[in-house]
Amino acid sequence: MRYRSRVTAPAAALIGTAAALTVGSTAYATPGESSAGTGRPEPGPGPETLADPVFPALGNDGYRALAYHLDLAYDATTALVEATTTLTLRTTQALTRLSLDVLGLDVRDVRVAGRTAAFEQAEEKLRITPARPLPAKAVTTVRVTYTADPRRTLPYTAWVPTPDGFAVCPQPNAAHTVFPCNDHPSDKADFTFRITVPAALRAVASGTLVRTEDLSGGRTAYTYRPRAPIATELVQITVGDYVIRNRRGPHGLPLRDVVPAARAEALEPALALTPGLVEWIEARLGAYPFETYGLLPCNSDDPNAFDFTGLETQTLTLYKPNYLLQEEQKIGSHMMHELVHSYFGNSVSPATWADLWLNEGHADFYGLLYRYERGWADSLGLTSLEARMKDTYARGDQWRTTSGPVAAPNAANLFDSQRYLGGVLVLYALRRLIGEDAFHAVERTFLARFRDSSASTEDYIAVASHVSGQDLSGFLRDWLYGTTTPRMPGHPDWTVTPVPPSPVSPRRRADAHRHENSATL
């Protein structure tokens, strides 16, 4: 894992301060001053990878992101977005060149510490050569000006075009189709968003509204700032004909739903469920970790726009409107699944994409508990977690053959059932072994220890061992990395279905993060 000190100043203030600090020559190594004889390494290009086990080309090293300021202007006539992203970063080594993740953006200008920088776009990297090398441990800004077309055809994209604007779904590896970034959940940063739109439309982003500006030409600019840092894959920016529905959750928590104006009344029964959902999960995992929560049923039911049900962008969950028009027992457990991601996935993000089971296993675990407490049968007709886990246990070796161990996915099977229900099975086994009280203590301790940061599977194992007072490393590693399914504590009668002699090959899931394997089953 890579850690950085939390930045407590607002992102906008950081950007201004960093620019003031780094525009002068003190931000650079003076030409002709070699590192020879000083014990410091010579400046060089930063690595263009963070060596993620699932997406090895994703992310960049040599620096850590501190803050992003996104300034986007949407043109409803052309559907184009004119944008400037300003990244405040701290170098971890002396750099002659650094890189950002970029795909499908037409970059026009790059400046480092206010000075024009040379750049090139190569595959999914934006390589930036500042006017002078950057010393190690320097804070500086990188400003990128570009144009984006939300309707552009790309191998993959975060843009969700709608008839009246767009939303974004960056998970797992597509934020860099919206803005230049260090696109990896281990490098969380503070954000501000300023979005300019025609006055007839509304712009919303992660966090809370801090400023509204009425501009000339019948345009309005909205500025949003989240209180907590965000992983790039969790950013939400949306534009459309929306109304904002505000209500209060437990302890006065502000709840904000962003709803298509034409469907606001029809969606109200689903939106009204949120306060009760928050109250239920707070009783188990503690206080909701952010300053606001709400739903974004963006104005598109087009299966070609996005073919998943929900996506947990930070402080807003993206949904298809039609899905939320169903009765409570059809949607309640999935709404809980997405809410749980505020804790597992958003507040505590995965250190690598191999740690996805921490997100999805926990979201399904509590989503299923919520379902069964209400007596709602699942798609198999089962009405208890024990019955569902017995069925899942029987599939264990088959899933390990076709989808790999729970904590060892690849890009093709990242969002298979193994990360969802397979993750639930691991948590169920842990709870059976250490007991209900110790399990809840593990959950809360893990969330508190890694709040606003990222954590790995090994971090979870360490917390579980410490809190339970017993070495659980062997037990949990067998469940998470073993090629065969371990015995279930307390259930010696449970059996695993034998794997056929010629197992089918793992099939690629093109519906990444579609939650078809989640608590809706």
Side-chain angles (χ1 to χ4, degrees), residues 291-357:
E291 68 272 31
T292 186
Y293 181 67
L295 307 187
L296 168 60
C298 80
N299 195 21
S300 177
D301 286 302
D302 181 359
N304 297 317
F306 61 110
D307 55 357
F308 56 84
T309 300
L311 181 73
E312 68 278 8
T313 50
Q314 195 156 312
T315 70
L316 276 173
T317 292
L318 181 67
Y319 274 108
K320 283 186 175 181
N322 279 349
Y323 178 79
L324 294 176
L325 295 177
Q326 302 178 89
E327 59 184 311
E328 181 182 0
Q329 68 180 56
K330 297 287 187 181
I331 62 175
S333 61
H334 190 279
M335 291 178 69
M336 179 58 68
H337 175 111
E338 298 298 347
L339 175 58
V340 171
H341 277 313
S342 295
Y343 297 81
F344 291 96
N346 296 12
S347 179
V348 181
S349 298
T352 74
W353 283 108
D355 303 307
L356 180 73
W357 79 274

Side-chain angles (χ1 to χ4, degrees), residues 206-486:
S206 300
T208 55
L209 181 65
V210 296
R211 185 182 306 111
T212 302
E213 304 167 70
D214 294 323
L215 307 177
S216 61
R219 296 176 69 75
T220 305
Y222 298 91
T223 299
Y224 289 83
R225 184 175 299 141
R227 184 180 63 195
I230 303 182
T232 51
E233 53 108 358
L234 299 172
V235 161
Q236 182 54 257
I237 308 164
T238 187
V239 170
D241 182 14
Y242 292 123
V243 294
I244 309 299
R245 290 293 176 91
N246 295 301
R247 69 192 82 227
R248 290 287 174 179
H251 321 296
L253 174 70
L255 300 175
R256 167 207 51 178
D257 299 309
V258 181
V259 191
R263 310 178 78 169
E265 293 307 316
L267 288 164
E268 179 58 25
L271 306 179
L273 298 175
T274 299
L277 293 165
V278 174
E279 183 176 15
W280 188 90
I281 199 59
E282 284 193 335
R284 288 150 182 84
L285 296 180
Y288 175 77
F290 302 118
E291 68 272 31
T292 186
Y293 181 67
L295 307 187
L296 168 60
C298 80
N299 195 21
S300 177
D301 286 302
D302 181 359
N304 297 317
F306 61 110
D307 55 357
F308 56 84
T309 300
L311 181 73
E312 68 278 8
T313 50
Q314 195 156 312
T315 70
L316 276 173
T317 292
L318 181 67
Y319 274 108
K320 283 186 175 181
N322 279 349
Y323 178 79
L324 294 176
L325 295 177
Q326 302 178 89
E327 59 184 311
E328 181 182 0
Q329 68 180 56
K330 297 287 187 181
I331 62 175
S333 61
H334 190 279
M335 291 178 69
M336 179 58 68
H337 175 111
E338 298 298 347
L339 175 58
V340 171
H341 277 313
S342 295
Y343 297 81
F344 291 96
N346 296 12
S347 179
V348 181
S349 298
T352 74
W353 283 108
D355 303 307
L356 180 73
W357 79 274
L358 285 167
N359 301 16
E360 303 302 347
H362 278 99
D364 258 14
F365 180 84
Y366 291 101
L368 286 169
L369 284 178
Y370 186 79
R371 170 187 292 277
Y372 298 137
E373 277 192 14
R374 276 144 190 78
W376 301 336
D378 59 30
S379 62
L380 302 181
L382 304 175
T383 56
S384 72
L385 184 62
E386 181 173 333
R388 188 58 184 267
M389 289 300 95
K390 184 177 182 180
D391 177 86
T392 303
Y393 185 84
R395 305 166 192 261
D397 283 4
Q398 181 66 64
W399 286 1
R400 289 170 189 265
T401 300
T402 59
S403 295
V406 174
N410 58 43
N413 62 34
L414 180 61
F415 292 100
D416 273 8
S417 295
Q418 186 70 303
R419 260 47 73 188
Y420 291 75
L421 287 167
V424 178
L425 193 65
V426 174
L427 297 173
Y428 179 82
L430 175 62
R431 192 178 69 167
R432 293 284 307 178
L433 180 70
I434 66 176
E436 192 102 16
D437 291 343
F439 177 77
H440 287 311
V442 168
E443 298 282 88
R444 289 188 176 227
T445 301
F446 178 77
L447 291 170
R449 184 167 299 174
F450 295 100
R451 181 169 180 166
D452 294 341
S453 185
S454 302
S456 68
T457 297
E458 287 301 314
D459 289 323
Y460 187 81
I461 293 172
V463 169
S465 296
H466 175 75
V467 172
S468 67
Q470 53 186 302
D471 184 359
L472 297 173
S473 55
F475 175 83
L476 284 172
R477 285 176 189 146
D478 284 348
W479 275 95
L480 290 162
Y481 297 106
T483 56
T484 58
T485 307

